[in-house]
Amino acid sequence: MSQPNKALLGPGAGKVAYALADQGVSVVALGISPTMCKRIEQHRGTRAVTPVVGDMTVIDVDGSFDLVYSTTSTLFSLLTQQQQIDCFTSMARVLTEEGTVVVEAFVPLRQCAVLNRQNVALRAFDTDRVDILATMHDPVSQRITFRELRMADGQPAAVLPADIRYIWPSELDLMAQLAGLTLVNRYGGWDKRPYEASCPRHVSVYGRP
């Protein structure tokens, strides 16, 4: 078995992975996008960051990890409750006996309270550029569908799609419990401030009972 290290799910452009690696930590960055993984590989330099193209619900990587973490609501990109449960099961499977799972996400009650079933917002307006964001919120399925329309002078109009299924903190705890994990701490931010009703985000820490 390989030396325990850190696993980042949904690494995006690699900002968090680079920050950890700069502290001397070895990071496996698991992402669904080959393009983003290639970008991480091109920009990692000498950092101990290994990008891997893969599915968060499976986490098909070698070795075990003493930290598995998901930031910026990445778990919400899995669009069914079962996929989210499968992700927790996979995180627990690759975790060392005393390892930790850390999840950062927005709090639905705070974020979704301002959403009607349908919303349109003007995000940018200039002489040569217009960006419009349209959202549809289905509170029954806990789904939010985003479509951003970008129009710029001299360029074809582009529609950028995104979809999420948000998870309530209590639902997140139950998913962890089904995977054999339990909540250790919940903070209102990375600075470990207390988690309160006014917090727009939470950082939840899970471990084995």
Side-chain angles (χ1 to χ4, degrees):
M1 182 175 293
S2 62
Q3 182 69 23
N5 48 21
K6 321 298 181 187
L8 169 61
L9 306 185
K15 182 178 179 180
V16 176
Y18 295 157
L20 273 178
D22 286 341
Q23 301 299 315
V25 174
S26 177
V27 181
V28 173
L30 179 71
I32 196 67
S33 169
T35 300
M36 296 306 290
C37 287
K38 184 177 181 179
R39 179 178 175 181
I40 291 174
E41 186 172 6
Q42 291 173 338
H43 293 86
R44 65 184 174 181
T46 59
R47 297 182 181 98
V49 177
T50 303
V52 176
V53 178
D55 187 342
M56 289 193 301
T57 65
V58 179
I59 311 184
D60 186 15
V61 295
D62 294 330
S64 57
F65 302 87
D66 53 6
L67 172 64
V68 180
Y69 64 111
S70 171
T71 62
T72 59
S73 307
T74 298
L75 279 183
F76 295 1
S77 65
L78 300 174
L79 298 181
T80 69
Q81 186 183 65
Q82 186 59 57
Q83 286 179 322
Q84 293 164 345
I85 291 172
D86 291 344
C87 182
F88 255 104
T89 301
S90 295
M91 287 192 288
R93 177 177 51 79
V94 300
L95 203 64
T96 60
E97 190 61 32
E98 297 184 359
T100 301
V101 169
V102 177
V103 176
E104 180 211 10
F106 72 75
V107 179
L109 185 62
R110 295 275 299 174
Q111 298 288 341
C112 296
V114 299
L115 289 177
N116 300 313
R117 292 296 300 277
Q118 300 180 20
N119 292 269
V120 177
L122 185 64
R123 302 192 68 180
F125 183 84
D126 208 337
T127 56
D128 59 354
R129 177 189 173 194
V130 175
D131 285 3
I132 299 173
L133 179 65
T135 60
M136 295 188 66
H137 176 212
D138 182 356
V140 175
S141 62
Q142 299 172 206
R143 290 278 297 271
I144 303 176
T145 301
F146 302 86
R147 295 294 183 268
E148 183 177 357
L149 174 61
R150 293 184 178 179
M151 296 173 286
D153 188 28
Q155 300 179 18
V159 177
L160 307 180
D163 299 87
I164 66 168
R165 180 191 184 273
Y166 56 80
I167 311 172
W168 299 98
S170 57
E171 183 185 11
L172 198 67
D173 296 347
L174 182 57
M175 292 179 181
Q177 183 178 340
L178 292 173
L181 304 174
T182 187
L183 181 68
V184 176
N185 279 301
R186 173 164 288 135
Y187 304 105
W190 291 111
D191 57 0
K192 295 188 177 181
R193 72 184 67 178
Y195 175 69
E196 301 173 343
S198 60
C199 294
R201 309 186 70 81
H202 67 88
V203 177
S204 298
V205 182
Y206 298 95
R208 301 189 191 282

mmCIF file of all heavy atoms in Angstrom, residues 172-189:
data_model
loop_
_atom_site.group_PDB
_atom_site.id
_atom_site.type_symbol
_atom_site.label_atom_id
_atom_site.label_comp_id
_atom_site.label_asym_id
_atom_site.label_seq_id
_atom_site.Cartn_x
_atom_site.Cartn_y
_atom_site.Cartn_z
ATOM 1 N N LEU A 172 -26.279 15.608 4.636
ATOM 2 C CA LEU A 172 -24.863 15.289 4.465
ATOM 3 C C LEU A 172 -24.382 14.384 5.594
ATOM 4 O O LEU A 172 -23.655 13.404 5.362
ATOM 5 C CB LEU A 172 -24.048 16.578 4.445
ATOM 6 C CG LEU A 172 -22.635 16.542 3.881
ATOM 7 C CD1 LEU A 172 -22.645 16.275 2.383
ATOM 8 C CD2 LEU A 172 -21.918 17.856 4.171
ATOM 9 N N ASP A 173 -24.802 14.675 6.815
ATOM 10 C CA ASP A 173 -24.416 13.860 7.969
ATOM 11 C C ASP A 173 -24.946 12.434 7.836
ATOM 12 O O ASP A 173 -24.269 11.466 8.209
ATOM 13 C CB ASP A 173 -24.940 14.487 9.263
ATOM 14 C CG ASP A 173 -24.318 15.845 9.548
ATOM 15 O OD1 ASP A 173 -23.317 16.197 8.903
ATOM 16 O OD2 ASP A 173 -24.855 16.570 10.413
ATOM 17 N N LEU A 174 -26.164 12.297 7.311
ATOM 18 C CA LEU A 174 -26.746 10.962 7.143
ATOM 19 C C LEU A 174 -25.992 10.183 6.064
ATOM 20 O O LEU A 174 -25.758 8.983 6.219
ATOM 21 C CB LEU A 174 -28.223 11.084 6.778
ATOM 22 C CG LEU A 174 -28.986 9.760 6.621
ATOM 23 C CD1 LEU A 174 -28.889 8.917 7.888
ATOM 24 C CD2 LEU A 174 -30.447 10.021 6.266
ATOM 25 N N MET A 175 -25.599 10.858 4.992
ATOM 26 C CA MET A 175 -24.806 10.191 3.951
ATOM 27 C C MET A 175 -23.492 9.679 4.525
ATOM 28 O O MET A 175 -23.052 8.567 4.220
ATOM 29 C CB MET A 175 -24.535 11.153 2.795
ATOM 30 C CG MET A 175 -25.750 11.529 1.983
ATOM 31 S SD MET A 175 -25.326 12.703 0.660
ATOM 32 C CE MET A 175 -26.945 12.964 -0.089
ATOM 33 N N ALA A 176 -22.872 10.503 5.366
ATOM 34 C CA ALA A 176 -21.629 10.084 6.007
ATOM 35 C C ALA A 176 -21.873 8.881 6.919
ATOM 36 O O ALA A 176 -21.073 7.931 6.938
ATOM 37 C CB ALA A 176 -21.048 11.240 6.812
ATOM 38 N N GLN A 177 -22.975 8.914 7.650
ATOM 39 C CA GLN A 177 -23.294 7.808 8.559
ATOM 40 C C GLN A 177 -23.494 6.510 7.792
ATOM 41 O O GLN A 177 -23.034 5.442 8.223
ATOM 42 C CB GLN A 177 -24.559 8.149 9.345
ATOM 43 C CG GLN A 177 -24.951 7.097 10.371
ATOM 44 C CD GLN A 177 -26.194 7.496 11.153
ATOM 45 O OE1 GLN A 177 -26.564 8.667 11.207
ATOM 46 N NE2 GLN A 177 -26.848 6.526 11.750
ATOM 47 N N LEU A 178 -24.159 6.585 6.635
ATOM 48 C CA LEU A 178 -24.362 5.395 5.812
ATOM 49 C C LEU A 178 -23.037 4.818 5.326
ATOM 50 O O LEU A 178 -22.932 3.619 5.060
ATOM 51 C CB LEU A 178 -25.254 5.731 4.622
ATOM 52 C CG LEU A 178 -26.715 6.058 4.931
ATOM 53 C CD1 LEU A 178 -27.430 6.547 3.680
ATOM 54 C CD2 LEU A 178 -27.431 4.848 5.516
ATOM 55 N N ALA A 179 -22.026 5.687 5.210
ATOM 56 C CA ALA A 179 -20.697 5.254 4.758
ATOM 57 C C ALA A 179 -19.806 4.833 5.919
ATOM 58 O O ALA A 179 -18.633 4.517 5.712
ATOM 59 C CB ALA A 179 -20.029 6.381 3.971
ATOM 60 N N GLY A 180 -20.334 4.851 7.139
ATOM 61 C CA GLY A 180 -19.551 4.447 8.300
ATOM 62 C C GLY A 180 -18.751 5.571 8.910
ATOM 63 O O GLY A 180 -17.803 5.320 9.665
ATOM 64 N N LEU A 181 -19.110 6.821 8.610
ATOM 65 C CA LEU A 181 -18.407 7.984 9.146
ATOM 66 C C LEU A 181 -19.333 8.773 10.061
ATOM 67 O O LEU A 181 -20.557 8.619 10.008
ATOM 68 C CB LEU A 181 -17.913 8.887 8.009
ATOM 69 C CG LEU A 181 -17.006 8.230 6.959
ATOM 70 C CD1 LEU A 181 -16.713 9.207 5.826
ATOM 71 C CD2 LEU A 181 -15.711 7.735 7.594
ATOM 72 N N THR A 182 -18.749 9.617 10.878
ATOM 73 C CA THR A 182 -19.540 10.432 11.786
ATOM 74 C C THR A 182 -19.010 11.862 11.793
ATOM 75 O O THR A 182 -17.818 12.090 11.529
ATOM 76 C CB THR A 182 -19.495 9.857 13.218
ATOM 77 O OG1 THR A 182 -20.414 10.572 14.052
ATOM 78 C CG2 THR A 182 -18.105 9.948 13.818
ATOM 79 N N LEU A 183 -19.884 12.820 12.081
ATOM 80 C CA LEU A 183 -19.473 14.225 12.117
ATOM 81 C C LEU A 183 -18.577 14.478 13.323
ATOM 82 O O LEU A 183 -18.948 14.184 14.457
ATOM 83 C CB LEU A 183 -20.719 15.124 12.184
ATOM 84 C CG LEU A 183 -20.454 16.629 12.193
ATOM 85 C CD1 LEU A 183 -19.895 17.089 10.856
ATOM 86 C CD2 LEU A 183 -21.744 17.393 12.527
ATOM 87 N N VAL A 184 -17.405 15.050 13.070
ATOM 88 C CA VAL A 184 -16.461 15.392 14.134
ATOM 89 C C VAL A 184 -16.591 16.860 14.508
ATOM 90 O O VAL A 184 -16.677 17.214 15.679
ATOM 91 C CB VAL A 184 -15.007 15.088 13.691
ATOM 92 C CG1 VAL A 184 -14.016 15.522 14.763
ATOM 93 C CG2 VAL A 184 -14.847 13.613 13.365
ATOM 94 N N ASN A 185 -16.625 17.725 13.493
ATOM 95 C CA ASN A 185 -16.781 19.168 13.712
ATOM 96 C C ASN A 185 -17.472 19.791 12.508
ATOM 97 O O ASN A 185 -17.356 19.281 11.386
ATOM 98 C CB ASN A 185 -15.426 19.863 13.911
ATOM 99 C CG ASN A 185 -14.894 19.716 15.329
ATOM 100 O OD1 ASN A 185 -15.548 20.123 16.278
ATOM 101 N ND2 ASN A 185 -13.711 19.129 15.449
ATOM 102 N N ARG A 186 -18.177 20.878 12.766
ATOM 103 C CA ARG A 186 -18.728 21.687 11.673
ATOM 104 C C ARG A 186 -18.440 23.141 11.984
ATOM 105 O O ARG A 186 -18.774 23.636 13.062
ATOM 106 C CB ARG A 186 -20.223 21.445 11.497
ATOM 107 C CG ARG A 186 -20.886 22.389 10.479
ATOM 108 C CD ARG A 186 -22.247 21.901 10.036
ATOM 109 N NE ARG A 186 -22.129 20.739 9.171
ATOM 110 C CZ ARG A 186 -22.884 19.642 9.296
ATOM 111 N NH1 ARG A 186 -23.782 19.567 10.270
ATOM 112 N NH2 ARG A 186 -22.714 18.630 8.463
ATOM 113 N N TYR A 187 -17.787 23.807 11.021
ATOM 114 C CA TYR A 187 -17.402 25.206 11.201
ATOM 115 C C TYR A 187 -18.143 26.094 10.204
ATOM 116 O O TYR A 187 -18.662 25.624 9.193
ATOM 117 C CB TYR A 187 -15.893 25.367 10.994
ATOM 118 C CG TYR A 187 -15.049 24.482 11.876
ATOM 119 C CD1 TYR A 187 -14.410 23.355 11.357
ATOM 120 C CD2 TYR A 187 -14.884 24.759 13.236
ATOM 121 C CE1 TYR A 187 -13.624 22.536 12.163
ATOM 122 C CE2 TYR A 187 -14.097 23.947 14.041
ATOM 123 C CZ TYR A 187 -13.477 22.832 13.503
ATOM 124 O OH TYR A 187 -12.706 22.019 14.293
ATOM 125 N N GLY A 188 -18.136 27.365 10.480
ATOM 126 C CA GLY A 188 -18.752 28.332 9.583
ATOM 127 C C GLY A 188 -17.796 28.875 8.543
ATOM 128 O O GLY A 188 -18.154 29.782 7.795
ATOM 129 N N GLY A 189 -16.584 28.342 8.475
ATOM 130 C CA GLY A 189 -15.594 28.787 7.500
ATOM 131 C C GLY A 189 -14.267 28.123 7.756
ATOM 132 O O GLY A 189 -14.084 27.393 8.745
#
